[in-house]
Amino acid sequence: MLNIIKSDFYKLKKSKAFWVCTILCVVFAVLMVTALNVGMNRALANLDSGDPEMMQMAEMAENISGISALQEFLPMGFNIIFIGVFVAIFVSSEFGYGTMKNTLSRGADRIKVFFSKFVVCSCAALVMLLAFIAAMLAAGSIAWGFDPTGIVTFSGMLGMISLQSLLVIAYTALFVFISMTMRGTGGAIATNIICVTMASTLLGAISMLFGGSINLSDYWLEWGLSKFAVMSPPSGDIIQGILIALGWGIASLAAGTTLFKKIDVK
Amino acid sequence: MDYVLQTNEVSKAFSGKMAVDHVSISVKNGDIYGFIGENGAGKTTLMRMVCGLADPTGGEISLFGSRDLVSQRYKVGCTIENPALYPAMTAMENMETQRLLLGIRDKKVCSELLELAGLCNTGKKKAKDFSLGMKQRLMIALSLLGNPEFLVLDEPTNGLDPMGIREVRDVIQRLNESRGITILVSSHILGELEKMATRYGVISHGKLVDEFQANELSTRCGKNLVIHASDPQRVENVVNEMFEDAECMRTPENSVRVKGHVEDAGRINKILIEAGVIVNALIPEGDKLEDYFLRLMGGKVYA
């Protein structure tokens, strides 16, 4: 197992997709902060116009900081999209290039191969998450200061990052499962993006079809992204979020390994 | 240990259609086993099952006398179908991924194998910029990591020019002779297989139709004696008198082709001379592997 992981980490180091997606996470974070800053300055300059959107922006500008920008943008899941794209390229290309054959033909256990991909992709996903958070905090702090209102505590920050990391790892498990099952880069990228951008809406629509007594989107990973983007979320939300992340993560790994054991590799 | 690979009634069905149908082959230690079959005959499918890339729907495979295939596969190197390489990596980086996977500590082994494959001077050139021959040789170098005792090579000369074919053939023969590696190799270029294989298996429509040693090829292939002489009609008469089972036919060059009796060439020559026939040449003529294969497949050798 350790040898498979070492080999996968070497491939990660050499993977252009990883470095490009990580840089894009950073660029996207900085761009969003810059765009928000420009929008707020424009709103402050046009306070007399009476435009409700401008008024709202101007109101927001009074309390904005690096940390509040992070709390605003994390639930949108832009970094998760980049993680989904990276995992699709990194995992599916093994089938596209045929290099998975080189691994399996030397007697590597298929479950270990799957878990190795999951471990390495999770590490990459965490690097991308941390890069996104660091870039957003740095850009936000330069623009508005890190935390002028003093809401940040070390434990609160650590808790927020840990819970977001848990969700990112659960998303990664799902992305690895999709990519290993689809084995085509294009299809895997499309499906992973749909999982991030449309799954919540789809689950909401399905809930409506069945009467709306249970909202299925409350059991989807995206639910946790917004609930965990605060310093100290309610304990009920923490438990529900952890259960959702574990549930999706374990289900993805179980389904992925079961399917991967059965497929013929070409 | 006598056999490196044995398959016992191995089958593989895709959507109910048998791609490999109860195939039993035996690859002995030290063999270069030439695996022959038309497109879609089931060669690659059987090789994929041997390498653990597909599960058989029936039958058994044993490697090195063991049915615990996972534990034995570290002794097997393989290249199945197209060269499987990371295109954005150099030859050395491709070797590194496999070295780490196999847990080989000695880093020098990569450069040694690249040298063996004639790829030690590729430097920073990416695999995507390699010629097909270079890719095939890099695949062989990759499959040699971990000192495998058995190599499975699926059409390693596919798409190569004559020079590339010769390079790959030389590498295969060198590995067999100097390192004692047993090799299972499939190829469409039967003339190439004939130059290196020590044992053959012929598969058609998923079924093994023949399996034989290289020295048995001559007995399987028809051997004839072609007699170029001054009086062909007289030659036919003399030969018919000499042998009850003689089958003579005239060639387009007006020579006489005698079926079999290659070993009687000296005696035929003596009697023809005594009969006053001027013999210009007595040429033994035999089917090549390709002819034998075509005959097995139901094709015609002589038009």
Side-chain angles (χ1 to χ4, degrees):
Chain A
M1 177 83 177
L2 201 61
N3 290 335
I4 305 172
I5 291 177
K6 275 184 192 171
S7 178
D8 276 338
F9 267 116
Y10 183 79
K11 291 171 203 167
L12 178 70
K13 202 175 83 178
K14 298 282 171 188
S15 166
K16 268 188 197 165
F18 169 61
W19 297 110
V20 168
C21 287
T22 306
I23 290 166
L24 281 174
C25 276
V26 171
V27 170
F28 219 79
V30 174
L31 260 178
M32 282 192 294
V33 168
T34 311
L36 186 64
N37 196 28
V38 169
M40 280 177 175
N41 288 338
R42 199 173 292 155
L44 288 172
N46 295 299
L47 267 179
D48 306 336
S49 67
D51 183 345
E53 263 186 46
M54 291 291 179
M55 299 289 282
Q56 205 181 340
M57 279 278 238
E59 210 173 291
M60 200 179 168
E62 286 176 19
N63 300 316
I64 194 80
S65 65
I67 196 74
S68 65
L70 180 68
Q71 289 174 330
E72 192 73 29
F73 287 120
L74 262 182
M76 293 181 182
F78 293 118
N79 57 320
I80 310 282
I81 292 176
F82 291 121
I83 291 168
V85 171
F86 157 71
V87 172
I89 295 171
F90 187 71
V91 175
S92 305
S93 64
E94 292 272 8
F95 297 95
Y97 301 146
T99 42
M100 185 58 82
K101 291 184 290 191
N102 298 350
T103 306
L104 297 180
S105 66
R106 298 313 286 264
D109 184 86
R110 289 193 181 209
I111 294 175
K112 289 177 183 171
V113 171
F114 188 96
F115 271 96
S116 169
K117 286 277 178 273
F118 167 64
V119 168
V120 173
C121 286
S122 294
C123 291
L126 290 178
V127 169
M128 288 160 78
L129 171 71
L130 292 177
F132 182 80
I133 290 173
M136 184 145 281
L137 283 177
S141 301
I142 292 166
W144 312 295
F146 176 67
D147 177 31
T149 51
I151 58 161
V152 178
T153 59
F154 178 74
S155 58
M157 190 74 183
L158 191 69
M160 185 174 83
I161 292 174
S162 303
L163 291 170
Q164 287 287 337
S165 300
L166 182 69
L167 287 170
V168 160
I169 289 171
Y171 264 114
T172 307
L174 184 67
F175 294 152
V176 171
F177 159 61
I178 290 168
S179 307
M180 280 282 207
T181 308
M182 299 203 74
R183 287 174 279 160
T185 309
I189 290 175
T191 314
N192 287 354
I193 290 175
I194 287 170
C195 274
V196 183
T197 56
M198 292 165 76
S200 190
T201 315
L202 281 171
L203 289 170
I206 292 167
S207 305
M208 296 283 275
L209 283 176
F210 291 98
S213 55
I214 297 172
N215 189 1
L216 290 175
S217 57
D218 286 351
Y219 302 96
W220 174 236
L221 293 165
E222 199 181 318
W223 179 88
L225 281 184
S226 52
K227 296 290 178 188
F228 292 167
V230 291
M231 280 299 137
S232 35
S235 57
D237 284 356
I238 293 176
I239 292 167
Q240 186 178 340
I242 289 173
L243 287 176
I244 289 172
L246 288 177
W248 281 101
I250 292 168
S252 300
L253 293 176
T257 48
T258 308
L259 279 173
F260 187 52
K261 269 171 78 178
K262 288 181 179 172
I263 59 163
D264 289 351
V265 177
K266 290 188 176 174
Chain B
M1 184 191 316
D2 280 328
Y3 290 101
V4 169
L5 166 71
Q6 277 182 300
T7 68
N8 182 21
E9 300 279 307
V10 166
S11 301
K12 177 76 179 177
F14 293 110
S15 312
K17 196 183 170 218
M18 297 298 273
V20 174
D21 193 356
H22 297 89
V23 170
S24 301
I25 64 168
S26 304
V27 181
K28 280 183 190 164
N29 196 8
D31 271 350
I32 296 182
Y33 189 103
F35 203 32
I36 311 166
E38 74 271 26
N39 280 333
K43 304 184 295 289
T44 303
T45 306
L46 184 73
M47 287 174 147
R48 278 154 40 83
M49 287 190 282
V50 169
C51 294
L53 304 176
D55 280 333
T57 42
E60 284 168 348
I61 297 172
S62 64
L63 283 167
F64 304 96
S66 167
R67 288 197 187 134
D68 180 10
L69 303 181
V70 174
S71 69
Q72 297 299 318
R73 282 202 178 103
Y74 78 95
K75 292 190 269 185
V76 181
C78 84
T79 74
I80 301 287
E81 294 176 311
N82 303 321
L85 303 165
Y86 296 100
M89 290 189 193
T90 63
M92 184 56 90
E93 287 166 352
N94 269 286
M95 294 291 285
E96 271 294 298
T97 60
Q98 197 76 350
R99 183 185 70 80
L100 291 167
L101 177 77
L102 298 172
I104 301 165
R105 290 189 179 172
D106 184 9
K107 284 186 177 180
K108 279 188 283 179
V109 74
C110 293
S111 42
E112 284 167 13
L113 288 174
L114 285 178
E115 196 170 335
L116 180 83
L119 292 168
C120 53
N121 295 322
T122 50
K124 289 185 178 174
K125 193 172 181 177
K126 309 270 189 212
K128 64 184 172 190
D129 299 321
F130 282 12
S131 69
L132 190 56
M134 289 165 80
K135 286 179 184 172
Q136 293 282 22
R137 281 184 282 137
L138 179 53
M139 272 311 295
I140 292 175
L142 275 172
S143 59
L144 286 172
L145 273 166
N147 288 323
E149 294 168 35
F150 180 38
L151 274 187
V152 179
L153 306 174
D154 183 22
E155 303 194 14
T157 53
N158 207 8
L160 299 186
D161 59 19
M163 192 110 97
I165 290 171
R166 188 173 177 163
E167 284 172 0
V168 170
R169 187 182 74 213
D170 287 347
V171 171
I172 291 172
Q173 283 181 317
R174 221 180 310 149
L175 292 172
N176 180 254
E177 285 161 16
S178 62
R179 295 189 175 209
I181 297 176
T182 308
I183 296 166
L184 170 65
V185 56
S186 72
S187 178
H188 283 304
I189 306 165
L190 303 183
E192 278 309 309
L193 275 188
E194 205 172 359
K195 285 174 188 159
M196 57 184 169
T198 56
R199 189 169 168 79
Y200 297 96
V202 184
I203 188 169
S204 177
H205 301 290
K207 292 184 176 171
L208 190 75
V209 291
D210 202 0
E211 191 178 36
F212 53 93
Q213 289 291 126
N215 56 18
E216 292 175 81
L217 185 63
S218 58
T219 55
R220 276 175 163 71
C221 299
K223 286 280 180 190
N224 304 314
L225 190 65
V226 180
I227 305 168
H228 300 276
S230 57
D231 187 347
Q233 187 55 54
R234 192 93 183 269
V235 171
E236 280 188 25
N237 294 340
V238 168
V239 172
N240 283 329
E241 279 171 25
M242 281 179 75
F243 308 105
E244 278 182 14
D245 63 339
E247 279 182 45
C248 297
M249 61 185 282
R250 206 66 71 83
T251 69
E253 299 83 31
N254 210 24
S255 300
V256 177
R257 177 179 288 120
V258 182
K259 192 175 178 189
H261 298 287
V262 176
E263 63 285 357
D264 298 315
R267 204 151 58 90
I268 294 171
N269 185 38
K270 188 183 169 209
I271 292 172
L272 284 174
I273 290 166
E274 283 169 4
V277 178
I278 299 169
V279 179
N280 298 318
L282 277 159
I283 303 168
E285 178 194 77
D287 284 358
K288 290 184 176 164
L289 175 63
E290 190 175 61
D291 302 327
Y292 177 60
F293 173 70
L294 286 171
R295 253 194 301 130
L296 271 180
M297 298 297 119
K300 288 183 178 175
V301 180
Y302 300 112

